[in-house]
Amino acid sequence: MEISGKIENKEEVVKVKAIEATSESFREYGQVIEASADSEEFGPRDAQLDLSRGIPRFYIMHLESRPLKFHTITHHASVTQCLGSIGGHVWYLGVAKPSIIESKEIMDDAGTDIVQSRCGHFYVPPAVHEVRVFRISGPKFLKLNRGTWHAGPLFKADNMDFYNLELSNTNVVDHTIHNFSKENGVIFTIDD
């Protein structure tokens, strides 16, 4: 990660090198799901989903103008989420590890950096130095662990379509945002 200067409103620009999303490189954030034989039974290479807290929603999401920069990052505390480009086109996702506080004991030990989401749960905000960016190419999708911070999908094309699996009300009742520009004075750009 490289800090490369200031922009007009005095935010530092943090340049993050994109790394290819593989099962190993993405392990701390979720899973990379790739093609398997139709006869293969359910196993650890399949998406390990948690859709138990609501009605699943699987849809095609049309996105326009998502350049390779971001200053906000989101997490969903109640669901795993799956994202993949229609047609296997290259896209990017900024991520940080889940930081949801699940128990009172952890809250007491965590210190003062704990925030309560408007959704009700508690979390520790993601740190600038913990943000990673992944490049996703080809016929595969990402399954994000519950609570994984994510920014994107981002891409170089004018527009792209993505399939998205989450809950029917995820973006209404389970959408926590951290604004790095406001809270940390930085924006991220992707170096590919």
Side-chain angles (χ1 to χ4, degrees), residues 122-141:
F122 292 89
Y123 66 93
V124 175
V128 171
H129 69 277
E130 293 182 351
V131 172
R132 301 291 178 264
V133 172
F134 288 92
R135 180 180 191 273
I136 302 91
S137 58
K140 55 187 166 187
F141 68 90

mmCIF file of all heavy atoms in Angstrom, residues 122-141:
data_model
loop_
_atom_site.group_PDB
_atom_site.id
_atom_site.type_symbol
_atom_site.label_atom_id
_atom_site.label_comp_id
_atom_site.label_asym_id
_atom_site.label_seq_id
_atom_site.Cartn_x
_atom_site.Cartn_y
_atom_site.Cartn_z
ATOM 1 N N PHE A 122 -22.742 -4.180 16.903
ATOM 2 C CA PHE A 122 -21.533 -3.433 17.231
ATOM 3 C C PHE A 122 -20.378 -3.928 16.363
ATOM 4 O O PHE A 122 -20.312 -5.099 16.011
ATOM 5 C CB PHE A 122 -21.178 -3.619 18.711
ATOM 6 C CG PHE A 122 -22.177 -2.973 19.636
ATOM 7 C CD1 PHE A 122 -23.286 -3.677 20.084
ATOM 8 C CD2 PHE A 122 -22.010 -1.655 20.033
ATOM 9 C CE1 PHE A 122 -24.215 -3.085 20.923
ATOM 10 C CE2 PHE A 122 -22.929 -1.046 20.878
ATOM 11 C CZ PHE A 122 -24.032 -1.758 21.327
ATOM 12 N N TYR A 123 -19.445 -3.025 16.053
ATOM 13 C CA TYR A 123 -18.294 -3.377 15.232
ATOM 14 C C TYR A 123 -17.139 -2.427 15.519
ATOM 15 O O TYR A 123 -17.320 -1.357 16.096
ATOM 16 C CB TYR A 123 -18.638 -3.333 13.738
ATOM 17 C CG TYR A 123 -18.957 -1.952 13.228
ATOM 18 C CD1 TYR A 123 -17.952 -1.149 12.660
ATOM 19 C CD2 TYR A 123 -20.248 -1.433 13.308
ATOM 20 C CE1 TYR A 123 -18.233 0.120 12.207
ATOM 21 C CE2 TYR A 123 -20.531 -0.162 12.847
ATOM 22 C CZ TYR A 123 -19.526 0.617 12.302
ATOM 23 O OH TYR A 123 -19.804 1.885 11.844
ATOM 24 N N VAL A 124 -15.950 -2.855 15.088
ATOM 25 C CA VAL A 124 -14.767 -2.011 15.125
ATOM 26 C C VAL A 124 -14.562 -1.512 13.693
ATOM 27 O O VAL A 124 -14.549 -2.323 12.762
ATOM 28 C CB VAL A 124 -13.527 -2.793 15.611
ATOM 29 C CG1 VAL A 124 -12.277 -1.931 15.522
ATOM 30 C CG2 VAL A 124 -13.747 -3.303 17.030
ATOM 31 N N PRO A 125 -14.416 -0.199 13.480
ATOM 32 C CA PRO A 125 -14.226 0.307 12.114
ATOM 33 C C PRO A 125 -12.980 -0.293 11.461
ATOM 34 O O PRO A 125 -11.980 -0.567 12.138
ATOM 35 C CB PRO A 125 -14.039 1.816 12.316
ATOM 36 C CG PRO A 125 -14.705 2.114 13.622
ATOM 37 C CD PRO A 125 -14.468 0.884 14.472
ATOM 38 N N PRO A 126 -13.017 -0.490 10.150
ATOM 39 C CA PRO A 126 -11.854 -1.043 9.453
ATOM 40 C C PRO A 126 -10.706 -0.037 9.449
ATOM 41 O O PRO A 126 -10.926 1.174 9.380
ATOM 42 C CB PRO A 126 -12.373 -1.294 8.039
ATOM 43 C CG PRO A 126 -13.496 -0.322 7.878
ATOM 44 C CD PRO A 126 -14.118 -0.183 9.236
ATOM 45 N N ALA A 127 -9.489 -0.532 9.534
ATOM 46 C CA ALA A 127 -8.302 0.325 9.530
ATOM 47 C C ALA A 127 -7.797 0.510 8.102
ATOM 48 O O ALA A 127 -7.869 -0.410 7.280
ATOM 49 C CB ALA A 127 -7.202 -0.306 10.389
ATOM 50 N N VAL A 128 -7.292 1.681 7.812
ATOM 51 C CA VAL A 128 -6.772 1.995 6.476
ATOM 52 C C VAL A 128 -5.734 0.963 6.044
ATOM 53 O O VAL A 128 -5.781 0.459 4.915
ATOM 54 C CB VAL A 128 -6.171 3.424 6.456
ATOM 55 C CG1 VAL A 128 -5.423 3.687 5.156
ATOM 56 C CG2 VAL A 128 -7.261 4.465 6.684
ATOM 57 N N HIS A 129 -4.815 0.608 6.921
ATOM 58 C CA HIS A 129 -3.728 -0.308 6.548
ATOM 59 C C HIS A 129 -4.189 -1.752 6.343
ATOM 60 O O HIS A 129 -3.423 -2.580 5.849
ATOM 61 C CB HIS A 129 -2.598 -0.256 7.586
ATOM 62 C CG HIS A 129 -2.967 -0.847 8.909
ATOM 63 N ND1 HIS A 129 -3.648 -0.139 9.873
ATOM 64 C CD2 HIS A 129 -2.768 -2.082 9.419
ATOM 65 C CE1 HIS A 129 -3.846 -0.919 10.926
ATOM 66 N NE2 HIS A 129 -3.322 -2.101 10.675
ATOM 67 N N GLU A 130 -5.429 -2.059 6.696
ATOM 68 C CA GLU A 130 -5.938 -3.426 6.522
ATOM 69 C C GLU A 130 -6.733 -3.619 5.234
ATOM 70 O O GLU A 130 -7.166 -4.729 4.934
ATOM 71 C CB GLU A 130 -6.803 -3.818 7.721
ATOM 72 C CG GLU A 130 -5.998 -3.951 8.997
ATOM 73 C CD GLU A 130 -6.831 -4.383 10.187
ATOM 74 O OE1 GLU A 130 -8.077 -4.422 10.078
ATOM 75 O OE2 GLU A 130 -6.233 -4.671 11.233
ATOM 76 N N VAL A 131 -6.929 -2.576 4.460
ATOM 77 C CA VAL A 131 -7.697 -2.673 3.220
ATOM 78 C C VAL A 131 -6.850 -3.361 2.145
ATOM 79 O O VAL A 131 -5.679 -3.024 1.946
ATOM 80 C CB VAL A 131 -8.155 -1.281 2.751
ATOM 81 C CG1 VAL A 131 -8.790 -1.348 1.361
ATOM 82 C CG2 VAL A 131 -9.132 -0.681 3.757
ATOM 83 N N ARG A 132 -7.450 -4.314 1.476
ATOM 84 C CA ARG A 132 -6.832 -5.024 0.360
ATOM 85 C C ARG A 132 -7.742 -4.877 -0.854
ATOM 86 O O ARG A 132 -8.939 -4.666 -0.706
ATOM 87 C CB ARG A 132 -6.645 -6.511 0.665
ATOM 88 C CG ARG A 132 -5.797 -6.801 1.884
ATOM 89 C CD ARG A 132 -4.336 -6.430 1.663
ATOM 90 N NE ARG A 132 -3.531 -6.665 2.848
ATOM 91 C CZ ARG A 132 -3.226 -5.733 3.760
ATOM 92 N NH1 ARG A 132 -3.667 -4.505 3.640
ATOM 93 N NH2 ARG A 132 -2.473 -6.026 4.804
ATOM 94 N N VAL A 133 -7.172 -5.047 -2.041
ATOM 95 C CA VAL A 133 -7.974 -5.019 -3.262
ATOM 96 C C VAL A 133 -7.701 -6.291 -4.040
ATOM 97 O O VAL A 133 -6.545 -6.689 -4.234
ATOM 98 C CB VAL A 133 -7.648 -3.782 -4.132
ATOM 99 C CG1 VAL A 133 -8.353 -3.878 -5.480
ATOM 100 C CG2 VAL A 133 -8.056 -2.497 -3.408
ATOM 101 N N PHE A 134 -8.779 -6.920 -4.500
ATOM 102 C CA PHE A 134 -8.666 -8.146 -5.288
ATOM 103 C C PHE A 134 -9.159 -7.919 -6.704
ATOM 104 O O PHE A 134 -10.114 -7.179 -6.934
ATOM 105 C CB PHE A 134 -9.465 -9.279 -4.630
ATOM 106 C CG PHE A 134 -8.814 -9.785 -3.384
ATOM 107 C CD1 PHE A 134 -9.140 -9.257 -2.154
ATOM 108 C CD2 PHE A 134 -7.838 -10.762 -3.459
ATOM 109 C CE1 PHE A 134 -8.511 -9.703 -0.995
ATOM 110 C CE2 PHE A 134 -7.197 -11.215 -2.312
ATOM 111 C CZ PHE A 134 -7.547 -10.681 -1.076
ATOM 112 N N ARG A 135 -8.479 -8.568 -7.621
ATOM 113 C CA ARG A 135 -8.853 -8.591 -9.035
ATOM 114 C C ARG A 135 -9.523 -9.937 -9.268
ATOM 115 O O ARG A 135 -8.973 -10.982 -8.914
ATOM 116 C CB ARG A 135 -7.594 -8.464 -9.892
ATOM 117 C CG ARG A 135 -7.831 -8.478 -11.374
ATOM 118 C CD ARG A 135 -6.468 -8.354 -12.081
ATOM 119 N NE ARG A 135 -6.624 -8.108 -13.489
ATOM 120 C CZ ARG A 135 -6.752 -9.063 -14.400
ATOM 121 N NH1 ARG A 135 -6.727 -10.344 -14.040
ATOM 122 N NH2 ARG A 135 -6.897 -8.751 -15.667
ATOM 123 N N ILE A 136 -10.709 -9.900 -9.862
ATOM 124 C CA ILE A 136 -11.458 -11.128 -10.117
ATOM 125 C C ILE A 136 -11.616 -11.257 -11.627
ATOM 126 O O ILE A 136 -12.159 -10.352 -12.280
ATOM 127 C CB ILE A 136 -12.844 -11.100 -9.419
ATOM 128 C CG1 ILE A 136 -12.680 -10.908 -7.896
ATOM 129 C CG2 ILE A 136 -13.594 -12.398 -9.689
ATOM 130 C CD1 ILE A 136 -12.703 -9.489 -7.443
ATOM 131 N N SER A 137 -11.139 -12.346 -12.179
ATOM 132 C CA SER A 137 -11.225 -12.535 -13.623
ATOM 133 C C SER A 137 -11.702 -13.943 -13.930
ATOM 134 O O SER A 137 -11.435 -14.872 -13.189
ATOM 135 C CB SER A 137 -9.857 -12.280 -14.272
ATOM 136 O OG SER A 137 -8.889 -13.142 -13.728
ATOM 137 N N GLY A 138 -12.403 -14.048 -15.034
ATOM 138 C CA GLY A 138 -12.844 -15.354 -15.493
ATOM 139 C C GLY A 138 -14.136 -15.819 -14.849
ATOM 140 O O GLY A 138 -14.772 -15.098 -14.081
ATOM 141 N N PRO A 139 -14.519 -17.067 -15.146
ATOM 142 C CA PRO A 139 -15.808 -17.603 -14.686
ATOM 143 C C PRO A 139 -15.747 -18.077 -13.237
ATOM 144 O O PRO A 139 -15.629 -19.257 -12.954
ATOM 145 C CB PRO A 139 -16.068 -18.761 -15.654
ATOM 146 C CG PRO A 139 -14.691 -19.236 -16.010
ATOM 147 C CD PRO A 139 -13.833 -17.998 -16.037
ATOM 148 N N LYS A 140 -15.783 -17.114 -12.318
ATOM 149 C CA LYS A 140 -15.797 -17.442 -10.893
ATOM 150 C C LYS A 140 -16.544 -16.338 -10.167
ATOM 151 O O LYS A 140 -16.801 -15.268 -10.722
ATOM 152 C CB LYS A 140 -14.380 -17.593 -10.340
ATOM 153 C CG LYS A 140 -13.470 -16.409 -10.551
ATOM 154 C CD LYS A 140 -12.052 -16.744 -10.111
ATOM 155 C CE LYS A 140 -11.047 -15.744 -10.599
ATOM 156 N NZ LYS A 140 -9.668 -16.145 -10.331
ATOM 157 N N PHE A 141 -16.918 -16.622 -8.919
ATOM 158 C CA PHE A 141 -17.561 -15.590 -8.115
ATOM 159 C C PHE A 141 -16.985 -15.616 -6.716
ATOM 160 O O PHE A 141 -16.289 -16.546 -6.323
ATOM 161 C CB PHE A 141 -19.088 -15.721 -8.128
ATOM 162 C CG PHE A 141 -19.650 -16.929 -7.430
ATOM 163 C CD1 PHE A 141 -19.976 -16.878 -6.074
ATOM 164 C CD2 PHE A 141 -19.901 -18.105 -8.123
ATOM 165 C CE1 PHE A 141 -20.512 -17.985 -5.423
ATOM 166 C CE2 PHE A 141 -20.443 -19.209 -7.485
ATOM 167 C CZ PHE A 141 -20.748 -19.151 -6.130
#
